[in-house]
């Protein structure tokens, strides 16, 4: 198919190219680990917000490839996986003319800030982070220091651009608390009001958690319960039709058990308010047929994803374009990062005598 994707023209003339935030624009930063294809959790929890925020904020969105090293990916996969997410970002509507889009490992300044923040991060607090405890339990043979200091690297990603808003899903709450704590601690230690305290952000006004279709918990790559943006219609239909349900409501207006609430949560993000209302009424008067709900949900997901999927295929095959976008994004991100880093170095005391 002939590509309809616009080449990025005049990128160097765009407002954002110097990465000087317009005075009234707050800075937004977020990233996703390249540990597989994007799924509906990433999409509704994070990327839809990225896309909507591009016009109103100074946005920087990156691919967190250093974070993915905690599980030791193969060398030949590192760059490929980053480009997969880059292609998917673009397919979802991230626009390099509006946002700075880069690969984390292309901006080395982040590492120096990571080191400084690590000097003020304490073993006890890092060990108490829930995701660290969970991962340490799941991979007892690989409880590495990178896993332990995951939250300081994430704080460095955010603070290196002095971001105020961070669009993330609900599962990142504790990491965000740590980022605020590290910002506050740095300011206190050096007696400066330097780093702003970054806040999690969702346009819906609440942290979003997209559930899996297997009955409990969140949709996640390691849970193996994902619908991917790259899934075709038949795959999506099959996955949705297999979603766990129960034997149906026994009295009117009863509370939905978790497995059913999960389907309604997906309806809420993927379908229209009318569709949601229709099935909610059916639930409440006990006439609901889960087969109908699943069929409708599957079609609504297919319709949302089909155009994205097409674009993923197009962008993925255009390595030259991806390379150019990554290079130009890194260049812009480095300007912003270098500014912060030189100020931080001065605050810490790395100045000429
Ligand atoms: P990661 O790669 O696990 O997930 C990327 C984004 O997708 C969101 N997400 C979900 N939201 C709702 N429901 C779900 N089921 C679901 N699954 C994933 C996540 O909340 C996240 O927003 N630590 C981050 C990556 C990172 C980062 C950062 C984020 C590194 N540095 C700086 C923001 C700022 C992570 O592991 O995301």
């Amino acid at each position: 198919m002939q590509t309809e994707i616009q080449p990025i023209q005049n990128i160097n003339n765009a407002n954002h190219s110097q990465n000087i935030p317009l005075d009234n624009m707050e800075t937004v930063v977020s990233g996703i680990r390249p540990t597989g294809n994007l799924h509906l959790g990433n999409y509704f929890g994070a990327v839809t917000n990225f896309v909507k925020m591009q016009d109103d904020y100074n946005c920087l969105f990156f691919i967190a490839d250093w974070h993915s090293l905690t599980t030791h990916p193969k060398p030949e996969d590192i760059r490929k996986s980053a480009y997969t997410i880059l292609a998917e970002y673009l397919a979802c509507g991230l626009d390099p003319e509006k946002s700075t889009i880069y690969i984390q490992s292309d901006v080395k300044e982040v590492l120096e800030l990571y080191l400084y923040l690590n000097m003020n991060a304490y073993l006890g607090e890092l060990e108490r982070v829930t995701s660290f405890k969970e991962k340490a339990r799941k991979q007892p043979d690989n409880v590495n220091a990178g896993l332990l200091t995951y939250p300081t690297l994430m704080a460095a990603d955010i603070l290196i651009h002095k971001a105020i808003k961070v669009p993330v899903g609900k599962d990142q709450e504790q990491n965000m608390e740590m980022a605020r704590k590290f910002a506050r601690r740095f300011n206190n230690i050096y007696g400066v009001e330097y780093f702003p305290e970054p806040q999690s952000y969702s346009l819906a006004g609440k942290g979003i958690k997209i559930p899996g279709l297997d009955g409990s918990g969140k949709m996640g790559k390691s849970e193996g319960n994902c619908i991917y943006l790259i899934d075709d219609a038949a795959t999506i239909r099959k996955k949705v039709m297999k979603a766990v349900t129960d034997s149906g409501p026994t009295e009117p207006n009863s509370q939905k058990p978790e497995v059913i609430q999960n389907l309604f949560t997906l309806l809420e993000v993927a379908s229209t308010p009318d569709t949601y209302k229709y099935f909610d009424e059916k639930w409440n008067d006990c006439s609901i047929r889960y087969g109908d709900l699943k069929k409708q949900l599957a079609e609504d997901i297919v319709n949302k994803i089909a155009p994205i999927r097409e674009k993923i295929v197009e962008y993925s095959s255009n390595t030259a374009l991806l390379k150019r976008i990554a290079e130009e994004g890194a260049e812009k991100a480095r300007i912003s990062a270098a500014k912060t880093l030189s100020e931080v170095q001065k605050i810490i005391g790395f100045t000429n005598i």
Side-chain angles (χ1 to χ4, degrees), residues 29-35 38-47 50 62-65 67 89 104 135 150 153-158 166-173 175-176 207-212 217-221 223 225-226:
V29 165
S30 195
I32 295 185
R33 280 172 306 146
T35 47
L38 294 185
H39 53 75
L40 291 188
N42 301 134
Y43 183 67
F44 290 115
V47 183
F50 298 1
F62 66 95
I63 296 143
D65 56 349
H67 275 105
Y89 270 173
Q104 186 187 35
K135 286 191 179 137
Y150 187 108
L153 181 54
M154 178 157 159
D157 290 326
I158 299 166
V166 182
V168 280
K170 210 172 174 181
D171 60 326
Q172 297 298 310
E173 255 331 301
N175 285 333
M176 288 303 300
I208 291 191
K209 179 179 128 188
I210 301 299
K218 66 162 190 164
M219 186 175 287
K221 288 164 211 163
E223 281 76 12
N225 61 3
C226 296

Side-chain angles (χ1 to χ4, degrees), residues 168-218:
V168 280
K170 210 172 174 181
D171 60 326
Q172 297 298 310
E173 255 331 301
Q174 201 176 17
N175 285 333
M176 288 303 300
E177 257 171 46
M178 298 295 279
R180 284 192 286 277
K181 195 190 264 188
F182 295 141
R184 227 171 15 241
R185 195 172 288 160
F186 181 92
N187 292 347
N188 285 341
I189 289 173
Y190 295 103
V192 288
E193 272 304 312
Y194 184 68
F195 285 124
E197 287 185 33
Q199 305 298 324
S200 315
Y201 189 74
S202 160
L203 286 164
K206 55 174 180 174
I208 291 191
K209 179 179 128 188
I210 301 299
L213 294 165
D214 48 355
S216 66
K218 66 162 190 164

Side-chain angles (χ1 to χ4, degrees), residues 92-111:
C92 290
L94 285 199
D95 179 351
E97 295 247 21
K98 294 179 180 171
S99 298
T100 298
I101 306 170
Y102 64 98
I103 300 174
Q104 186 187 35
S105 61
D106 285 338
V107 183
K108 314 287 185 219
E109 287 79 0
V110 173
L111 287 184

Side-chain angles (χ1 to χ4, degrees), residues 122-134 136 143 147-149 151 174 178:
Y122 296 100
L123 182 61
E125 63 189 348
L126 292 169
E127 278 177 335
R128 279 194 298 275
V129 172
T130 314
S131 53
F132 171 74
K133 288 195 281 192
E134 263 171 34
V143 187
L147 199 59
L148 182 73
T149 57
Q174 201 176 17
M178 298 295 279

